[in-house]
Amino acid sequence: MKLSELKIGKGGIIKEFTDLSLSIKLMEMGCLPGEPVVLERIAPLGDPIAIKVSGYQLSLRKDEASKVILIPHS
C-alpha cells in the first residue's frame, strides 16, 4: 500500500521507498523503514498531505507520498 492511499486517521509502517533520491530526503526527516506513520490531514484540493511520523507532523506532496510503500496496520 502507498502512503498516498491512506485515509485520514489510518496508518501503517514504512516498508520501503521507490525513489532513491527522495528516500534520502525522507529518511533525513525521520521517515525510516520500520517507522509508524499516521495520515492526519489532507489539503482541501487533495495535495499536500500531513502525516505524523517520529513524533512530529510532516507535510508531503501527494506525488512524494506515492513513492512510500507501507505495511498497513489497524
Side-chain angles (χ1 to χ4, degrees):
M1 163 181 244
K2 296 176 182 176
L3 177 57
S4 60
E5 298 171 346
L6 282 179
K7 304 289 183 198
I8 293 176
K10 300 295 181 182
I13 297 175
I14 298 172
K15 179 181 177 191
E16 62 187 347
F17 306 97
T18 60
D19 182 310
L20 179 61
S21 61
L22 179 65
S23 69
I24 294 169
K25 175 183 166 186
L26 291 175
M27 286 193 288
E28 288 174 347
M29 293 188 288
C31 293
L32 301 168
E35 193 72 35
V37 297
V38 175
L39 179 63
E40 291 193 327
R41 300 169 134 189
I42 300 174
L45 296 178
D47 196 20
I49 65 170
I51 61 170
K52 184 169 186 175
V53 62
S54 300
Y56 70 96
Q57 194 173 61
L58 175 67
S59 293
L60 295 173
R61 293 183 191 117
K62 205 157 192 174
D63 179 57
E64 294 169 330
S66 71
K67 296 172 183 166
V68 179
I69 307 300
L70 300 178
I71 300 169
H73 66 78
S74 52

